[in-house]
Amino acid sequence: MFGAGGGTSSYEEAEACDCVILWGSNARETHPIFFHHVLRGVRRGARLYVVDPRRTASAQWADLWLGIEVGSDIALANAMAREIIRAGLANHAFIARATSGFDAYAAAVEPYTLARAAGDTGVPAEAIRELAHAYARADRAQLCWTLGITEHHNATDNVLALINLALLTGHVGRYGSGLCPLRGQNNVQGGGDMGAIPNKLPGFQDVETDALARARCAELWGVEPPPTRGWHLSEMLEAMDRGELTCAYVIGENPAQSEADQGHAIACLAGLDHLVVQDIFLTRTAELAHVVLPASASWAESEGTVTSSERRVQRVRRALDPPGSARDDIEILCELARRLGCDLGDPRPEAVWDELRRLSPMHRGMSYQRLDQLGGLRWPCPDDAHPGTMFLHERLWADDPAERGAAAPFTPVDFEPPVDVCTAEFPIRLTTGRRLDSFNTGVQTGGYTSPLRRGESLDLAPEECARLGIRDGERVRVVSRRGVLEVPVRADPILRPGLAFMTLHFPDEVATNQLTIDATDPKSGTAEFKATAIRVERLGPAPQGAPAAGGEAG
C-alpha cells in the first residue's frame, strides 16, 4: 500500500477508533483474534459497519449491515465517495497535502449516484449515505477487508476503491485510522515479506525496478536475480495448459483442491512431466506427484518466524522433533540445492533470517535477540535501536514536503459485474468462504473432531428452499457452467433469496471448486471464487407430507 506490502495499522488501533468497517470480511469466524480487538472497540463506543452479502456472525454485531450483491463493491465504494464529496465531508487539507489525482477521481465517481448504487448493489440508498457520512465524520476509522474483496476477477480494483476512500477522508497515516487487509492464511504476510511474490525481492523490493535491491542480492548471493517478474499461480496453470511449464515444485500447498475450476487444475497438474510436492500430509496434490518430500509441521517442529496481518514478526520455536523421515523445509531445500550443484551454506533458521535482514532494509533491526526480548516487532524496523512501527504512512501528514515524500495517488476504478453471469438457466449466485471450525481445503483441520463441525452443505435462504420445494438436509444436485456435484441443503436465515454459500473445507466429500470459475484478476492472479452462477436440481420428489425448509413442500 503506497509502496508497502502490508496493512497500515496495528490490531490494538481497532480498540481506539470511532468507526470500524468490515468489508467482505466475516472476521468473527475467519479472524477471531482480530475480532476480539474489534469488540473491545465496540464496547468502548465505536460503531461497527459490515458490508457483506450474508448477515454473518460479524454482521450480527454491527450497528449497520449492508447486504451487498456479490461483486458490486466498487459501485458501493464509488457512491460513498461521491456522497462524501457532495456533502462537503472530503478532507481537502489532507488531499492537497498528501495525494495526487483527486480531480480525475472526483470526475470518475460523479456518475455513481446513491440511486444508481442502490440498483447495482441492492443496498438501500439511505444505508449507503449513512455509511459514507459515518466514515467521513469519524475522527479515527479502520477500514478492514479480506477475501470477500480479493477473490474476484477485479480484486486489485476492489482494493484500490477502498484505498481511495481512505485518501478521500484522511483515514490513513494516523493512530486509529488506517487500512487493514486481514490475511487469508497463517503467515501469508511472512511469505510476501520473504519475496514469495513473482515481482518482488525480500522486503517487497521490486525485482525489475529497484537497482539497489538487485545489487544487494547479487552481492550476497553471488548471482544476479532474474531481471523480470515471474508467474503467479494462475499464470503457471495457463503455462501448463500451453505446455510451456512442464515441471512444478509445490511446497505446503494443495492446488489440486484449492484452485478454482478444480477439474481443470487437476488436469494441468496431472499433465506435468515432473511434479514434486513437499508437505506434511499426503494431499490430493501429493497423490498426483512423482516425488513427495515429507516436511515438518512448521508450527510445532520448526524454528523460525511468523508475521501477522499487523506486520508483527514473532519467533516460532520447535516443541517436537519431526517424526520418521520428515525434515525441516529449510533442510530439504538446502539438501536439494546441494544435489543440484549449489551449496546454500548454513541452513540454520537464524542464519537464514540474518540473511534476510541484510537484504531487506525494513527488517534490518529485527534480530532474534530483539524478537525474543520484545515479544515481536512490527516492520519497518530499520536498525537495532528502532522500536518497530505501529502504523504506516505517518509521513503523509508531515509539513515538510521532503519528509512527506511521494504523494499517495487516487486511482479511479469502475464497477464491473462478476464474469459468471446469472441467467434463467443458472439463477442463483454461489459465494464461498470459511467457517470457524475449519481451514481452507481441510488438510490441517479435517483430521480432528470439533463440536462445531457439521460437514459441507449448500446453504440457502429458507425462502429459496421453500420456492424449490427442498427440505432441510435433503441432498440436491448443484450445477454450474463447469461442473456438477451433490450436497445436502441447509436452510440458513443469514442468506437472502438468490444467494447460496459453500466452503472448500471438505473437498474429498464435496468438491466445491468443481463449480467455481477460474476467471482471474490480471493484476493479482486471484480467481473469482466468490461469484459463481449455479442452479439447484432436486434428486427426487419430495416425500409425501414432508414440509420443505422454511415452508410447505411445493
Side-chain angles (χ1 to χ4, degrees), residues 62-310:
D63 293 278
L64 180 66
W65 166 57
L66 290 82
I68 192 171
E69 293 290 339
V70 174
S72 61
D73 305 276
I74 289 173
L76 178 59
N78 283 357
M80 285 176 60
R82 181 185 185 274
E83 174 64 21
I84 289 168
I85 294 168
R86 287 240 168 176
L89 298 175
N91 191 329
H92 287 289
F94 177 80
I95 291 167
R97 171 199 302 263
T99 74
S100 64
F102 171 72
D103 290 341
Y105 172 65
V109 301
E110 179 59 27
Y112 289 86
T113 64
L114 292 177
R116 172 185 168 177
D120 287 339
T121 68
V123 177
E126 186 53 39
I128 300 173
R129 181 184 184 278
E130 178 180 337
L131 178 57
H133 283 243
Y135 182 63
R137 292 180 185 277
D139 178 46
R140 293 173 292 188
Q142 295 287 334
L143 180 47
C144 314
W145 68 88
T146 186
L147 301 180
I149 284 292
T150 57
E151 288 186 338
H152 289 275
H153 77 283
N154 54 351
T156 303
D157 287 351
N158 284 342
V159 173
L160 290 170
L162 302 190
I163 292 173
N164 289 335
L165 287 175
L167 295 179
L168 183 63
T169 55
H171 283 316
V172 66
R174 295 188 296 124
Y175 181 80
S177 280
L179 293 153
C180 305
L182 305 174
R183 298 308 194 183
Q185 298 187 38
N186 181 45
N187 203 32
V188 70
Q189 180 68 57
D193 293 358
M194 300 306 111
I197 300 176
N199 64 328
K200 298 296 183 182
L201 294 165
F204 296 98
Q205 300 169 105
D206 195 278
V207 71
E208 294 181 327
T209 64
D210 194 329
L212 287 176
R214 289 178 52 81
R216 277 193 298 268
C217 291
E219 180 181 3
L220 185 59
W221 295 340
V223 62
E224 286 281 342
T228 56
R229 59 168 294 143
W231 288 325
H232 53 61
L233 181 52
S234 297
E235 291 169 327
M236 292 182 197
L237 291 169
E238 292 169 4
M240 292 177 197
D241 257 344
R242 299 192 302 268
E244 189 175 349
L245 179 61
T246 59
C247 177
Y249 185 6
V250 179
I251 303 177
E253 185 73 11
N254 185 25
Q257 293 181 318
S258 64
E259 286 304 291
D261 193 355
Q262 182 176 331
H264 174 250
I266 290 176
C268 288
L269 293 165
L272 291 169
D273 292 345
H274 193 58
L275 174 61
V276 180
V277 172
Q278 183 169 313
D279 212 312
I280 62 175
F281 295 105
L282 191 66
T283 64
R284 179 70 180 93
T285 306
E287 290 175 351
L288 298 172
H290 300 89
V291 177
V292 177
L293 303 174
S296 63
S298 59
W299 51 271
E301 299 165 357
S302 298
E303 293 281 331
T305 62
V306 64
T307 309
S308 72
S309 296
E310 65 170 351

Side-chain angles (χ1 to χ4, degrees), residues 496-508:
R496 294 166 291 135
L499 180 64
F501 177 79
M502 294 179 71
T503 79
L504 314 179
H505 297 328
F506 307 95
D508 293 331

Side-chain angles (χ1 to χ4, degrees), residues 452-474:
L452 301 176
R453 187 169 300 133
R454 55 177 174 77
E456 192 52 80
S457 61
L458 174 72
D459 296 353
L460 294 170
E463 301 93 326
E464 194 81 66
C465 293
R467 183 183 68 82
L468 295 169
I470 296 171
R471 295 182 306 154
D472 196 60
E474 181 179 345

Side-chain angles (χ1 to χ4, degrees), residues 23-90:
W23 197 312
S25 170
N26 182 17
R28 176 67 185 87
E29 292 198 47
T30 59
H31 296 87
I33 301 302
F34 173 73
F35 196 71
H36 286 310
H37 294 277
V38 172
L39 288 181
R40 290 191 186 107
V42 168
R43 290 175 180 132
R44 185 194 141 273
R47 292 184 66 80
L48 174 62
Y49 296 85
V50 173
V51 179
D52 200 293
R54 301 183 299 144
R55 190 172 182 270
T56 62
S58 302
Q60 291 166 36
W61 283 90
D63 293 278
L64 180 66
W65 166 57
L66 290 82
I68 192 171
E69 293 290 339
V70 174
S72 61
D73 305 276
I74 289 173
L76 178 59
N78 283 357
M80 285 176 60
R82 181 185 185 274
E83 174 64 21
I84 289 168
I85 294 168
R86 287 240 168 176
L89 298 175

